[in-house]
Amino acid sequence: SHFSQKLLNSAIATGLFAVAARLDRLNEYASGYSGISEAQSQIGYQQWLNASLQPPKCEIKGQAAPEIAAAPPSYDWNNIADEAVGFLICGNSGSAKSSLATWLAGHLSQSSPMAVIALDPHFNDCWQLAGIKSIGKIEQIEAALNWLLGELDARCERKGNKQPLGDPLFVICDELNASLERFTDRKIVESTLRRLGSEGRKFGLTFCGLNQSSNAAAIGIDAKYRSNYALILLGQSARTHPQLGKHLADVAYPCLLDGSIAPALAVHPTHGDYSTFKKQGNAPKNLKQINQLPLPSGLLNVIDSPVIDSQKTPDPVFDVLSMPVNPSTQASLSMPLTKLLEFAKSKDCFISASMVKTSIRLFRDTPTPEIRQYFQWLADKGYGIVKGQDDTLEFSAS
């Protein structure tokens, strides 16, 4: 038994020795790969460390669509009385220009009553429906615009003398281009637009011109003078505006302001509630009752005078139809010719056309032969006498 135990121990020892020897050989065999294993472990750890320290990445799902700029806020019409000297309303047929002009007359007269007249060669019925006196004959329109220029000069003089200016007057001139083409002297419209656009409302005269095109040449005015007005663009004129037109593609009655007012979108005052455009059929909404005053007597004298000679060229400076042959008063003379007569009376000598051009501002752009025609006309009507002929004609007041 003791011997058996020794044999067992010897066998175990031999086995353990064989195992140890085998392990030693394996260790020696693997010793060449230990550097590689360690290096790979270090690289893996460094990669894990770097990845863990990186900021979180946002998932990119695709290119985002560019945002469309929101439309700017609409213009506040309550500011129009303070921001506009005059108005030019432009837009294609059916864009509700006349309705907007009527609305303006009602809006502006709420705080201060004023006289209102419409000059419309197309005889639109809308003026009569709104209670506005209108005239449509070209001769009358031309004479009315001429009177308006003379009245502006008269009010300038009254203001300098600290006298009452006269009642406020709102003049609507529709179809500017159509009138311009038919006037005997297109300078009337050009002078009216040029002067009233910069100084009219200072003296209680507000001009509101309507035309299909906003082009300066079509209106008969230089672009720099057009910018004096509040330019109200309607219809296609509004949609093609370079800055704001893109916001109006789906608007039935587009409207925006420009000119003397910073470009701004606006809700059409009378047709902004409509979602569908109709060239004819959509009645104006929100019209205000016009607080009207009687028209000036001088203007009525011009527009109500009967036409005695339809072939005669209307005189661009004075009302040839209303003057008496032997006047005892100058009440029927228009203001420009009254100023000419007063100037003649202030001189102790005959006055020449050149003296009139240099002394009376209204006549500075008037051709010299035309002034001599006024001399002869005044003499024929008993206001004075003339001497000389043609290029030497001079006038003296009686």
Side-chain angles (χ1 to χ4, degrees):
S1 58
H2 180 70
F3 180 77
S4 298
Q5 184 66 37
K6 285 184 176 183
L7 289 175
L8 179 61
N9 291 337
S10 297
I12 293 173
T14 301
L16 292 175
F17 177 79
V19 171
R22 178 64 176 171
L23 291 175
D24 288 341
R25 287 197 299 271
L26 289 173
N27 184 54
E28 183 180 359
Y29 176 78
S31 62
Y33 297 93
S34 62
I36 297 175
S37 177
E38 182 179 356
Q40 289 178 339
S41 298
Q42 291 178 351
I43 292 173
Y45 176 75
Q46 186 66 45
Q47 290 176 343
W48 172 85
L49 186 63
N50 290 341
S52 64
L53 295 178
Q54 289 293 325
K57 294 182 180 181
C58 297
E59 183 179 358
I60 300 177
K61 296 183 178 181
Q63 185 68 28
E67 295 184 1
I68 300 176
S74 295
Y75 179 76
D76 186 352
W77 286 105
N78 291 322
N79 298 329
I80 197 71
D82 297 326
E83 296 182 347
V85 175
F87 305 92
L88 290 176
I89 304 176
C90 302
N92 53 291
S93 179
S95 58
K97 299 186 296 293
S98 301
S99 296
L100 199 152
T102 304
W103 180 89
L104 276 175
H107 179 75
L108 296 176
S109 66
Q110 296 305 299
S111 58
S112 177
M114 59 187 183
V116 182
I117 187 171
L119 317 178
D120 181 7
H122 291 175
F123 298 93
N124 195 325
D125 292 335
C126 68
W127 313 119
Q128 183 178 1
L129 294 174
I132 299 174
K133 181 176 179 60
S134 64
I135 58 175
K137 295 180 179 179
I138 290 297
E139 310 94 280
Q140 291 177 314
I141 295 175
E142 196 168 0
L145 291 176
N146 169 67
W147 178 89
L148 197 60
L149 287 177
E151 179 66 10
L152 178 58
D153 280 333
R155 294 192 179 201
C156 290
E157 188 171 336
R158 290 172 202 155
K159 187 173 184 178
N161 295 331
K162 301 188 182 304
Q163 298 174 335
L165 295 180
D167 291 335
L169 176 62
F170 189 81
V171 180
I172 302 171
C173 189
D174 202 355
E175 303 294 346
L176 279 174
N177 192 47
S179 297
L180 185 66
E181 295 299 324
R182 298 167 63 187
F183 284 159
T184 57
D185 185 358
R186 62 183 295 154
K187 290 182 179 179
I188 292 178
V189 170
E190 296 170 357
S191 298
T192 302
L193 289 171
R194 183 169 62 249
R195 295 193 57 197
L196 292 180
S198 58
E199 54 183 313
R201 285 197 70 189
K202 300 175 184 177
F203 302 100
L205 301 174
T206 304
F207 186 86
C208 180
L210 281 62
N211 200 55
Q212 291 200 21
S213 172
S214 61
N215 182 274
I219 301 174
I221 186 174
D222 190 276
K224 66 180 180 180
Y225 291 110
R226 183 187 60 183
S227 63
N228 292 329
Y229 286 85
L231 186 60
I232 304 176
L233 302 177
L234 306 178
Q236 195 61 21
S237 294
R239 290 193 180 96
T240 56
H241 189 273
Q243 299 176 31
L244 301 176
K246 58 186 177 182
H247 299 291
L248 300 171
D250 298 326
V251 179
Y253 289 88
C255 175
L256 64 80
L257 286 84
D258 205 336
S260 63
I261 297 175
L265 296 175
V267 176
H268 196 297
T270 64
H271 285 67
D273 293 339
Y274 288 107
S275 58
T276 303
F277 171 80
K278 292 182 181 179
K279 191 170 183 178
Q280 296 179 347
N282 282 334
K285 301 179 181 180
N286 308 317
L287 289 178
K288 300 179 180 180
Q289 183 68 36
I290 303 175
N291 190 9
Q292 289 198 65
L293 294 173
L295 288 169
S297 58
L299 178 57
L300 287 174
N301 288 338
V302 170
I303 63 178
D304 290 339
S305 297
V307 179
I308 59 175
D309 186 359
S310 60
Q311 300 302 319
K312 186 175 181 179
T313 300
D315 197 298
V317 177
F318 56 91
D319 177 20
V320 299
L321 304 176
S322 62
M323 280 193 195
V325 175
N326 295 306
S328 58
T329 174
Q330 298 174 17
S332 58
L333 280 173
S334 67
M335 182 52 61
L337 208 55
T338 298
K339 295 175 74 70
L340 190 155
L341 193 57
E342 290 176 349
F343 174 71
K345 288 183 175 181
S346 69
K347 303 296 181 181
D348 295 329
C349 60
F350 281 85
I351 62 172
S352 64
S354 60
M355 292 172 62
V356 173
K357 289 173 68 71
T358 57
S359 301
I360 305 177
R361 183 176 61 179
L362 181 62
F363 291 91
R364 289 179 184 174
D365 296 329
T366 305
T368 299
E370 190 172 305
I371 296 177
R372 295 193 182 105
Q373 290 179 8
Y374 306 150
F375 289 166
Q376 186 63 61
W377 192 92
L378 286 170
D380 293 343
K381 298 301 182 182
Y383 286 98
I385 58 175
V386 293
K387 71 173 185 178
Q389 293 181 347
D390 299 331
D391 294 347
T392 63
L393 191 70
E394 296 181 343
F395 175 77
S396 177
S398 57

